[in-house]
Amino acid sequence: ESPNYEKRALASPPSIWDENGFNAEFPEEFDTYFSENFGLRPLLVTANAALRRTLLSDSSSEKVIVGREGWLFFAETLDDYLGRSALADDDIARLARTLALQQESLRARGTAFVVALAPNKNSIYPEYMPARLLPESRDSNLSALQAAMDAHGVPYADLRAALAAARSECQIYHRLDTHWNNAGALVAYRTILETVSAQLPGFTWDDYAGVTGETEHGWHGDL
């Protein structure tokens, strides 16, 4: 038996007979069942992906970009990385104004408001993106929105700056995953709560300053 790593239910064995007699769909159903369940399938899928990555620097999945030194990136972030998905000035202005209105509404109820936007992995580790993919613009939607939030007085936790600074001390994103690792999560946590503290005098929180971490290499990642 082969383990199922696909996070979905694979096809079940079909029946030759159904309540109406002979199952006319049996050949097609059996073909689907066999193609999804034959022995050693996960190993062969993994081997195919490894060969394509090693020999062609390519991925067997259209959702994955194979970068330098074995780093993997989520393909759906590519347009943002290349500067192809820039929002119009009016869109940025509307977003900032909406956030300012939310802040005003919450402030009237005595509630502090802080915006936190997680940056894409390739904006923190651009040097590992394939050399053939060159950004058309260094201006990003996040930079434009932050400037607009500054103009409206909306407080935000600058996770991109904090994570970019922390990467000189240790690796903060998983090499084979879209997400930050526990070290990156701790940086984001501290940045968010430091920003919250500036809005709430007397607010206390644990920054885990005395915690020492251990490095493990057992994470396979979602890419």
Side-chain angles (χ1 to χ4, degrees):
E1 293 187 8
S2 298
N4 177 16
Y5 299 121
E6 297 191 32
K7 300 180 181 180
R8 68 180 179 92
L10 302 181
S12 301
S15 176
I16 298 178
W17 308 99
D18 59 22
E19 63 274 10
N20 299 318
F22 177 71
N23 177 15
E25 304 297 326
F26 176 79
E28 181 179 349
E29 292 176 354
F30 181 83
D31 183 66
T32 300
Y33 164 72
F34 180 79
S35 66
E36 293 189 359
N37 293 276
F38 66 83
L40 303 180
R41 180 176 181 271
L43 293 176
L44 292 172
V45 169
T46 300
N48 174 61
L51 284 172
R52 290 189 61 167
R53 185 172 61 192
T54 302
L55 299 180
L56 304 176
S57 295
D58 190 21
S59 172
S60 55
S61 171
E62 62 182 12
K63 294 185 177 182
V64 178
I65 297 172
V66 177
R68 304 179 191 184
E69 299 183 24
W71 281 63
L72 302 181
F73 296 89
F74 191 32
E76 291 186 14
T77 67
L78 182 58
D79 283 347
D80 188 65
Y81 171 78
L82 295 177
R84 294 175 178 170
S85 60
L87 294 173
D89 292 343
D90 288 347
D91 294 327
I92 293 292
R94 278 193 292 269
L95 280 171
R97 180 57 182 152
T98 299
L99 293 172
L101 289 171
Q102 291 176 330
Q103 181 189 24
E104 292 173 11
S105 175
L106 290 167
R107 182 179 290 166
R109 286 177 275 173
T111 301
F113 180 68
V114 167
V115 178
L117 300 170
N120 292 327
K121 174 180 172 181
N122 47 25
S123 67
I124 305 299
Y125 288 100
E127 71 273 23
Y128 292 117
M129 285 288 285
R132 68 181 185 277
L133 300 176
L134 299 177
E136 299 173 6
S137 172
R138 290 296 176 185
D139 296 329
S140 68
N141 290 324
L142 181 55
S143 297
L145 181 58
Q146 287 179 338
M149 286 191 293
D150 285 334
H152 282 276
V154 176
Y156 59 88
D158 194 347
L159 299 185
R160 182 177 57 179
L163 291 165
R167 54 161 286 175
S168 62
E169 300 179 5
C170 65
Q171 183 175 317
I172 55 174
Y173 274 75
H174 291 292
R175 189 169 60 90
L176 307 180
D177 198 295
T178 53
H179 302 92
W180 53 47
N181 56 23
N182 287 344
L186 182 58
V187 171
Y189 163 82
R190 288 171 173 165
T191 304
I192 291 171
L193 289 189
E194 285 171 358
T195 311
V196 170
S197 296
Q199 305 301 312
L200 294 175
F203 176 73
T204 60
W205 53 285
D206 188 351
D207 65 358
Y208 297 102
V211 174
T212 58
E214 296 181 357
T215 301
E216 297 181 356
H217 297 280
W219 186 254
H220 294 291
D222 63 359
L223 296 179

